[in-house]
Amino acid sequence: MVVAQVGCGIFIAHWEGGLRKNKLENPWPDYFSEGKNDSEDSSLRFATCQLLWKQINSETEKIQEELNKQLFDNLISFLRQSHSEFQTKKTEWMCRMKSSEIPTAALVLGVNVTDHDVTFKSLSEVLQDNVTPYVVSLQAKECPGIKHLLQKLMGQLMDCCVDVDSSEEEECVNISQKKIRCSMASLSKWYESVTKKTGSETPSKKRTSSSRHWQSPPIVVIFKDMESFTTKVLQDFIVISSQHIHEFPLVLIFGIATSPMIIHRLLPHSVSSLLCIELFQSLSCKEHLATVIDKLLLTTQFPFKLSEKVLQVLINIFLYHDFSVQNFIKGFQLSIVEHFYSQPLSVLCCQLLEAKKRVNSLSHNQCENIRSLPSFRRYVENQVSEKQIALLTEDSFLKEVTQTLLEDLHIYHENYFTVLRCLHVFTTSLPKYPLGKQIRELYCACLGKRVWETEEYGSAVQLLRMLAKDELVAILQKCAEIFISSGKQFSNTVEKLEEFLARFQNLEGEHVTYLGFHSILSVEELSFSYIPCCSFRSYLAPAEMQTLNEVVYFNTANTLREHLNAAPRIALHTALNNPYCYLKNQTLKSDVGCISNTAPDICIVYKLHLECGRLINLVDWLEAFSTVVTAVEGTDPDSVATDQVDEIIHARFIRAVSELELLGFIKPSKQKTDHVARLTWGGC
Amino acid sequence: MPNFEHPEYPEATLLHLESMVPCRESQVSSLLSIFGERQHFSFPSIFIYGHTSSGKTYVMQTLLETLELPHVFVNCVECFTSRLLLEEILTQLQSLSSENKHGSHVPCDTFNDFVRLFKQEIITQDLQNQTVYIVLDKAEQLREMEANMLPGFLRLQEMTDRNVTVIFLSEIVWELFRPNTGCLEPFTLYFPDYSIGNLQKILSHYHPPEYSADFYAAYINILLGVFYTVCRDLKELRHLAALNFTKYCEPVVRGEANERDTRRLWKNIESHLKKAMQTVYLREISSSQWERIQQDDGESGHLKGLSAHAHVELPYYSKFLLIAAYLASYNPARTDKRFFLKHHGKIKKTNFLKKHEKTSNHLLGPKPFPLDRLLAILYSIVDNKVAPTANIFSQITSLVTLQLLTLVGHDDQLDGPKYKCTVSLDFIRAIARTVNFDIIKYLYDFL
């Protein structure tokens, strides 16, 4: 397990660094195969894992791009507008009278701060591609003062001027060598020189640059974390730049995590009246997550699946702790790595055709692995005895069966998601959402157990019977659409559905008495809700019941929880209270209550301090320590029980206590001499 | 007959000057008499103060430019270090007489260097026989620079032994400036706020060319009637006037009313201006959005202001952390037992508390609390068990970065950091409602 953790750690670290390419390809398979036989296809597993992640990663990027598109388009049109005002010379009376405000976009991104980096990165890329080369992003921690802010600003601007055109490089170097004075005046001088230069470029160059950027490109300054900036820095910056707004087009973007009210809290009216603030809101992180789950999990595109518990862990971390979609994806990535690392049969976790091919080349060891899968054993038990023997003894027969089983699994998934979506259409239209509003809740419920046996399902069906007719018709139409879009396998169902729908429509046309109409309707409803029940049952059987589900489902939720939702305090307490847990030294095995003398000094000191109150008397503590330690060494206590403590023991005690102080359990106290204050309470 | 009389300058210039500075005649004439003739030594330093947009900067600039006096105009906010400030003054001085607009860069680190370079520059520019004016706008920034800056500028005439006058422009009174050492009292001059009549006069002065002055003056009159109570800032008023003028003209453009039909025009604009006061004046919506609304004929229902988006969505435990922090900030620590222990017994409010705790804690503002107390309250208000995972702790930190909590004391306090909760009661009630937590029941003030 330890090895696994180390392996994953490195894995993640490299991937986060964006080194998805082959640079470090060699060391990784070693981790995969370490301590194991290569007959378990570790290198192949590794390759599969990498390929899968690559696909998933590109998919997530695509999702992100699509989700941000609307927001970015709005932002760009805002920039264009503010910019056009700058271009039209202010001759008109109206323009002369209006105070020239700095166009400002307040970009509300939500509290999931970890996701913002990606958004800002793609935002500045989009801006640099379409609008202007001069995009600067500032972070609060880099700008404690106005001086640092301007330094950072000018530094980044001069750099991006290098990016635009290599011929300008020399010029820029010259400027920066002169140690530019960080003032707005020099900035506007710089802007003038840069725009003049691009204007007088050779025509060919001009065409390329003007097609990408606007004529006099605005300088966009992005404040990534508005909340953390100090009021003074922001105010000074805005006041200074408002004096120069006529000289170069400046646009500010405030990245706001909480609410736009923060602008009023940070800036007094005299400053905010210099701004022309427009609000832009990004998609909420919950919607983002829903899209990610929809595109990554509720699809047969990727063979890898999460079990209920794992999915629950990931969703809980998201909902309870951070709201971060990035972290969710990282957790998903970790599960992929963990699955391919720990499950030898994960080699079959790939597209169906490829998997079938791979089955043929499985080693004997792997066949044994298949035989030992719980789901496979269950399958074997249900076969006739001759087949049982064949399955357990003949590798080739096993492989044949495995191929068909994999195919079954694939079909199961294909049907599963379609039916799940249909069920979701039903459940979302119910009052109070007994089965959850989001499809992810429904998915979790269906993954874990037979959903039709739960209480919630019962109440859902009851509510369904009470739906009005037109509601029901709308739902059924939606379902029909889903079935049609999913492909051929549901053509039967679609037919039946359409038949029902037609009969409903007919009912509308006939003039039946109210009572009669009602009874017909209720019968229809009953029969209908019975039919989907049957189909739901066969299609939405929990994944655990499927043979060979272990191949594609990752289900060790505990590992994931340990990694993603670490509890350092508990770990520290366990280490100090029960050192055997980590050191695995037999002599350290001890009963719960007593203090073992063989334990490391710090553990003894820690255990003793747990028994003390808020203030700990050092002398008493030392005495207790010495008693414990000397009892270990087996010398008879009477001879040592003088008031003199052995010097070595004293030194060991001092060291242990200072180690404890370093760990933050105690601190020196000024209230009483020779006492230290305890900083932690309770078991952990 | 011009208001200003001065033997030095021709009458035409003075008349022109007078037309440029409406409602500031008395200040300008006293300044003129202080300045005296070109070669006269003037006061070493003049301190001009007055409220925002009472015309200090504008008057000084107009005066110095119209009379073509040698001057340097520096904004102290822009030159945020002493070095930048001194260098800026020298650079501007260089470009005073010579044609080249960009004077070469002069390195100048200390005030001593500045005095030396300043003397040199006066000689090279041949300005010995005239008063040179240095105007320091937003002079309150000087107080945050090195201690010698302000006294240095006050005594610049004495130290350089040249004919120079330093003019400070500030929004605060001189008493708040006065340095401890080396102070030479400047001549102080107060620019009073513009009265409503003044504002009317100044604003109507710049009427649009398409319309008559009377028509515009009537508009300004209505505008001031609405806004004068909340805003006397000339710049802001001018901006608002420009923003809403098209709406005012609408009936005239459509031919429904003529320019003299003031009553109808007033009916048309008044509610519009009131709406502007609640939205665009507070910068709840931006000016350009406001203009767009006007063009789309007043349907602003779909456009919500910044404050309308007060709702903040937080992760589940963050909500509880914030609630716990709020309780810890506004309840006395001694009452925790009563709120969070099951068998707390009955404690009477009056006997139980010390005198100073009887005043409303909400009036006193949030109090700092240690991390331990926050966690203890968190554990008791969350229904299910919360493990003290790394995520919980990082959530506290992210609440601090979101400015919903603030760290009290030093950043590097590892042992027992203290926090304060900075959110409002309304905000926390909205949060508590989403997790079905009745926060009022747990607040000592509302017992």
Side-chain angles (χ1 to χ4, degrees), chain A residues 107 120 123-124 127 135-139 220-225 229 251-255:
Chain A
L107 192 57
F120 281 124
L123 172 64
S124 48
L127 290 183
V135 181
V136 180
S137 9
L138 299 171
Q139 255 176 318
V220 181
V221 181
I222 304 174
F223 293 89
K224 280 186 178 174
D225 40 356
F229 276 92
V251 182
L252 306 181
I253 296 179
F254 291 157

Side-chain angles (χ1 to χ4, degrees), chain B residues 73-323:
Chain B
F73 213 101
V74 187
N75 187 334
C76 295
V77 178
E78 206 181 323
C79 305
F80 42 86
T81 63
S82 57
R83 189 195 155 109
L84 277 176
L85 182 65
L86 299 177
E87 286 176 359
E88 180 67 26
I89 294 174
L90 289 173
T91 325
Q92 283 197 28
L93 204 59
Q94 273 185 347
S95 52
L96 261 187
S97 59
S98 51
E99 264 68 65
N100 63 325
K101 264 277 141 211
H102 306 294
S104 63
H105 176 72
V106 207
C108 173
D109 270 326
T110 64
F111 210 84
N112 195 22
D113 286 344
F114 175 71
V115 170
R116 182 173 53 81
L117 292 165
F118 185 80
K119 281 191 314 218
Q120 275 177 19
E121 200 57 46
I122 294 288
I123 293 168
T124 46
Q125 299 279 336
D126 197 25
L127 290 168
Q128 290 102 315
N129 299 324
Q130 304 181 53
T131 317
V132 175
Y133 296 92
I134 298 177
V135 186
L136 299 173
D137 199 358
K138 303 243 162 53
E140 52 268 20
Q141 295 289 324
L142 284 177
R143 301 183 301 167
E144 276 149 49
M145 293 181 188
E146 283 85 340
N148 67 342
M149 290 296 283
L150 187 55
F153 278 118
L154 285 169
R155 290 176 177 275
L156 194 63
Q157 199 177 72
E158 179 186 326
M159 283 192 286
T160 52
D161 198 19
R162 292 285 182 275
N163 191 356
V164 59
T165 295
V166 182
I167 301 169
F168 300 92
L169 304 181
S170 171
E171 286 176 16
I172 54 180
V173 292
W174 167 247
E175 280 65 33
L176 294 170
F177 273 79
R178 194 173 284 134
N180 291 327
T181 51
C183 170
L184 185 77
E185 287 291 316
F187 177 86
T188 50
L189 186 65
Y190 176 57
F191 274 42
D193 280 354
Y194 290 117
S195 69
I196 188 162
N198 290 347
L199 288 174
Q200 168 88 38
K201 190 174 166 194
I202 297 167
L203 286 170
S204 329
H205 190 256
Y206 300 98
H207 63 90
E210 307 90 283
Y211 292 95
S212 72
D214 286 345
F215 179 66
Y216 192 67
Y219 167 63
I220 292 297
N221 199 11
I222 296 170
L223 184 88
L224 282 175
V226 175
F227 280 102
Y228 186 68
T229 43
V230 291
C231 173
R232 293 167 194 202
D233 186 329
L234 186 61
K235 262 184 236 157
E236 188 69 23
L237 284 170
R238 202 169 64 165
H239 180 65
L240 289 166
L243 276 185
N244 295 304
F245 188 59
T246 41
K247 178 80 182 173
Y248 184 71
C249 298
E250 239 170 41
V252 179
V253 172
R254 281 203 302 254
E256 290 166 9
N258 67 24
E259 290 197 11
R260 308 212 163 271
D261 200 351
T262 349
R263 190 170 162 71
R264 177 171 283 186
L265 290 172
W266 175 78
K267 255 190 169 171
N268 175 47
I269 194 73
E270 210 225 2
S271 64
H272 188 72
L273 287 180
K274 287 218 165 116
K275 207 197 276 169
M277 184 160 75
Q278 282 154 18
T279 51
V280 71
Y281 168 62
L282 296 173
R283 294 302 186 274
E284 286 286 303
I285 59 175
S286 75
S287 321
S288 50
Q289 279 172 326
W290 181 250
E291 281 179 328
R292 247 173 285 150
I293 291 170
Q294 281 183 1
Q295 278 162 18
D296 306 345
D297 230 24
E299 278 304 306
S300 67
H302 63 283
L303 242 178
K304 283 194 278 180
L306 294 183
S307 306
H309 299 264
H311 177 67
V312 177
E313 215 166 319
L314 287 170
Y316 188 72
Y317 283 141
S318 294
K319 285 177 183 169
F320 274 108
L321 275 169
L322 202 60
I323 291 171

Side-chain angles (χ1 to χ4, degrees), chain A residues 489-506:
Chain A
Q489 68 266 38
F490 287 107
S491 51
N492 252 339
T493 328
V494 174
E495 264 172 40
K496 263 187 204 163
L497 260 177
E498 271 161 4
E499 200 182 315
F500 270 125
L501 276 172
R503 280 171 70 184
F504 267 140
Q505 309 292 350
N506 286 340

Side-chain angles (χ1 to χ4, degrees), chain A residues 472-540:
Chain A
L472 200 60
V473 170
I475 292 170
L476 289 178
Q477 270 162 349
K478 260 191 229 164
C479 282
E481 274 165 33
I482 291 173
F483 280 129
I484 290 167
S485 66
S486 72
K488 272 182 195 162
Q489 68 266 38
F490 287 107
S491 51
N492 252 339
T493 328
V494 174
E495 264 172 40
K496 263 187 204 163
L497 260 177
E498 271 161 4
E499 200 182 315
F500 270 125
L501 276 172
R503 280 171 70 184
F504 267 140
Q505 309 292 350
N506 286 340
L507 276 177
E508 206 167 26
E510 288 165 21
H511 291 282
V512 275
T513 58
Y514 176 72
L515 200 69
F517 170 74
H518 205 77
S519 61
I520 294 170
L521 193 62
S522 59
V523 170
E524 289 289 348
E525 265 178 32
L526 274 177
S527 61
F528 176 74
S529 51
Y530 180 67
I531 290 167
C533 275
C534 288
S535 50
F536 285 157
R537 273 169 209 196
S538 61
Y539 289 126
L540 288 184

Side-chain angles (χ1 to χ4, degrees), chain A residues 94 98-99 101 111 181 227 243-244 259 264 269 273 277-279 286 319-321 565-566 667, chain B residues 75 78 105 206 239 242 281 283-284 286-287 289 291-292 309 313 316-317 389-391 395 403 415:
Chain A
M94 176 86 165
K98 268 195 316 190
S99 44
E101 298 166 315
V111 295
R181 297 163 66 219
E227 280 88 355
Q243 314 234 325
H244 292 268
S259 80
H264 292 316
H269 183 250
S273 65
I277 307 165
E278 240 171 88
L279 192 66
K286 282 184 181 169
L319 289 179
Y320 285 2
H321 293 296
N565 205 3
K667 69 168 182 182
Chain B
N75 187 334
E78 206 181 323
H105 176 72
Y206 300 98
H239 180 65
Y281 168 62
R283 294 302 186 274
E284 286 286 303
S286 75
S287 321
Q289 279 172 326
E291 281 179 328
R292 247 173 285 150
H309 299 264
E313 215 166 319
Y316 188 72
Y317 283 141
T389 57
N391 275 328
Q395 263 170 284
Q403 297 270 297
D415 46 345

